Amino acid sequence: MYWLARPLACNGEILLDGLDVGQLTDSDLKNICFRMDVILDTIEMPRCEGRLLPTGIFDRMDTLMSMIIHGHGGTPKLTDWTGLITEFGEYYGLAGDGPIDVDLDTYRAAMASFKLS
């Protein structure tokens, strides 16, 4: 889950600072889910033609997003989702230092979906 410490950036501009991985709580799940959504869309959408999305990851992300955005299924607990968060980072090769580059339009669309300012 150390990839969460990396900020999100576009064209060298930091859009969202990294998280303190040692201090994560259930309340960080909205921010974490937002990050995963932006990264997934940035990476997968340009190349999804003729390619299958990683359904094991996508289906669980969809469930988490539904819980966070729409309140379906109760309040999510971080401990229940650490496997997904770790697997997501490994699948997309997010280990390392420095910012994770994301698409600005994708970032803005996710801000609206997650009702973030």
Side-chain angles (χ1 to χ4, degrees), residues 39-58 88 90-93:
I39 293 166
L40 175 91
D41 284 353
T42 295
I43 293 171
E44 290 293 344
M45 291 310 139
R47 69 181 188 186
C48 70
E49 285 186 37
R51 180 182 155 88
L52 296 175
L53 290 171
T55 57
I57 293 172
F58 180 79
F88 181 89
E90 290 170 357
Y91 182 84
Y92 287 109

Side-chain angles (χ1 to χ4, degrees), residues 30 34 37 65 69-70 108-116:
K30 184 174 187 177
F34 169 79
D37 185 52
M65 285 176 59
I69 293 174
H70 304 295
R108 289 179 177 154
M111 291 283 288
S113 294
F114 281 81
K115 296 177 177 60
L116 298 172

Side-chain angles (χ1 to χ4, degrees), residues 5-65:
R6 298 177 66 191
L8 298 184
C10 180
N11 298 323
E13 180 182 337
I14 301 298
L15 302 173
L16 185 63
D17 288 329
L19 298 172
D20 182 344
V21 178
Q23 300 295 319
L24 295 175
T25 66
D26 294 345
S27 65
D28 291 308
L29 276 172
K30 184 174 187 177
N31 186 304
I32 293 167
C33 191
F34 169 79
R35 289 167 188 271
M36 291 192 305
D37 185 52
V38 172
I39 293 166
L40 175 91
D41 284 353
T42 295
I43 293 171
E44 290 293 344
M45 291 310 139
R47 69 181 188 186
C48 70
E49 285 186 37
R51 180 182 155 88
L52 296 175
L53 290 171
T55 57
I57 293 172
F58 180 79
D59 288 347
R60 288 181 287 156
M61 278 182 59
D62 190 51
T63 299
L64 180 58
M65 285 176 59

Side-chain angles (χ1 to χ4, degrees), residues 95-109:
D97 297 319
I100 298 169
D101 290 320
V102 296
D103 177 77
L104 185 57
D105 290 335
T106 298
Y107 181 87
R108 289 179 177 154

